[in-house]
Structure formats: structure tokens, C-alpha cells
Amino acid sequence: MDATPDPPRRAHAPFIVTAELPGDVFTLADGLRRAHFPPERNRLAAHVTLFHALAPSLRDELPRELARLAGEYAAPEAGIDGLMDLGGGTALLIRSAGMQAIRADLSACFFAMLTAQDRGTKKLHITVQNKVPRETAKALQSVLGVTLEPRRFAFTGLGLHIYRETHWESLGVWKFRGQQRA
């Protein structure tokens, strides 16, 4: 078996911040993703992206801010509350006022450096299918709309990744341990 070489490292690769899922929710979402995401494009495990492209210049500040937030906030409660239609895909819709508050806190720290995609309110979700024909997405939504049950959980932490062409390199996870409820 030939090893595939790692993609070239970009000096100015953006940072990605995620909300970390508990094991049972991750298992459910990742199983759906593996079953329904086009396999030739599925290079990531199930995840909830909070920020898509934070500036490389934040290399030192981001870990400090993530540590601060994880230390201040208790694990925010959340719920899978249905589906999100992505047009050519399907996502699990996540509602969490607490995680939205944490995201707003981090956004306020770095607002001047946020991309247009990362500004403003974000609908939290886990993509289970993307870049498929509309009919395929609608078919999955019909099935999941009947079988998917609402599920309550608490996010476990904040993750930091760097974009490496076709994959994300994990740089750390900060577990929630604070007392403040967002």
C-alpha cells in the first residue's frame, strides 16, 4: 500500500474553530455523514463549525481566548432540533443559546479580523450531506424528517484546527469547566 504524501503546508493557512460534540452525538452524526456524504469529498469527521477562516496572525491569541472561554463557561446545553436544507445537501440543525453566546464573545474579540462568512449570526449545524443533486438531498430529508428524533446534549469544549488543503489539522481542544451558564 502506497502512502499518500501530506499536502503542502501553507504558511498562511486559516484557523477553524469548532464546538466539540459529546461521544454519542458525534457517533450519530458521523455515521450519517459517512452514509450520505459523497465519499470522494468526505475528508472530515462530523463537526460544528463556529468560525471558518480566522486569520493566521491570531496564532498566539486564539488558544488564549479559547482557554479563557472554556474556563469561564460551563458546557452549553444544545439540541438537535430537526434538519437544515442546504439545497444540495442536508444538515442536522443545532440550537444552543449558550454556544451562540460563546461564539458572540469570541466574535467580539476578533471582529475586525473576521471574514464576511464569519460575521453575524450563524445557524449551528452538522453537515451530513453536501454537493449532491437536489433530488438526493430531498430524499434524505424525507427519510430523516420521519426517523430523526430531537436529542438534547451539552457541547464538551472548543476545538482549534488549521486548514491544510484537503483536511484539518487539530491544534487542540479546550474542555468547558466554568460555572457561568451562557
Side-chain angles (χ1 to χ4, degrees):
M1 184 165 131
D2 293 335
T4 304
D6 283 340
R9 301 213 182 251
R10 295 186 325 178
H12 301 290
F15 292 105
I16 301 148
V17 176
T18 57
E20 297 297 301
L21 297 165
D24 62 328
V25 175
F26 172 80
T27 298
L28 167 73
D30 199 54
L32 288 169
R33 186 176 172 98
R34 281 186 277 113
H36 302 289
F37 205 100
E40 66 278 5
R41 288 193 303 276
N42 190 15
R43 296 181 179 98
L44 300 172
H47 59 277
V48 176
T49 303
L50 297 177
F51 294 92
H52 291 88
L54 292 170
S57 61
L58 298 174
R59 175 175 291 281
D60 295 328
E61 292 174 85
L62 265 172
R64 283 195 301 266
E65 282 302 311
L66 295 177
R68 177 187 68 81
L69 292 169
E72 288 180 13
Y73 286 94
E77 295 179 12
I80 297 174
D81 287 338
L83 301 174
M84 199 168 142
D85 185 347
L86 302 177
T90 303
L92 304 178
L93 177 64
I94 307 292
R95 294 196 198 280
S96 175
M99 186 54 74
Q100 290 289 12
I102 292 167
R103 186 183 183 283
D105 193 336
L106 191 59
S107 181
C109 291
F110 301 118
F111 187 78
M113 302 184 81
L114 296 179
T115 63
Q117 183 181 19
D118 283 334
R119 287 190 177 158
T121 306
K122 176 170 181 46
K123 285 188 177 181
L124 302 178
H125 65 279
I126 304 168
T127 303
V128 296
Q129 174 192 61
N130 205 5
K131 298 181 182 172
V132 299
R134 179 75 181 128
E135 301 75 35
T136 304
K138 286 176 75 172
L140 178 60
Q141 291 163 21
S142 292
V143 171
L144 288 180
V146 174
T147 61
L148 184 69
E149 295 183 16
R151 181 184 292 238
R152 299 288 163 247
F153 65 94
F155 286 106
T156 60
L158 297 167
L160 180 61
H161 313 267
I162 192 164
Y163 181 70
R164 297 291 189 201
E165 300 301 330
T166 61
H167 70 284
W168 296 359
E169 179 183 321
S170 178
L171 299 177
V173 172
W174 290 263
K175 299 286 186 185
F176 291 114
R177 60 191 189 290
Q179 299 302 312
Q180 178 180 342
R181 284 284 171 183

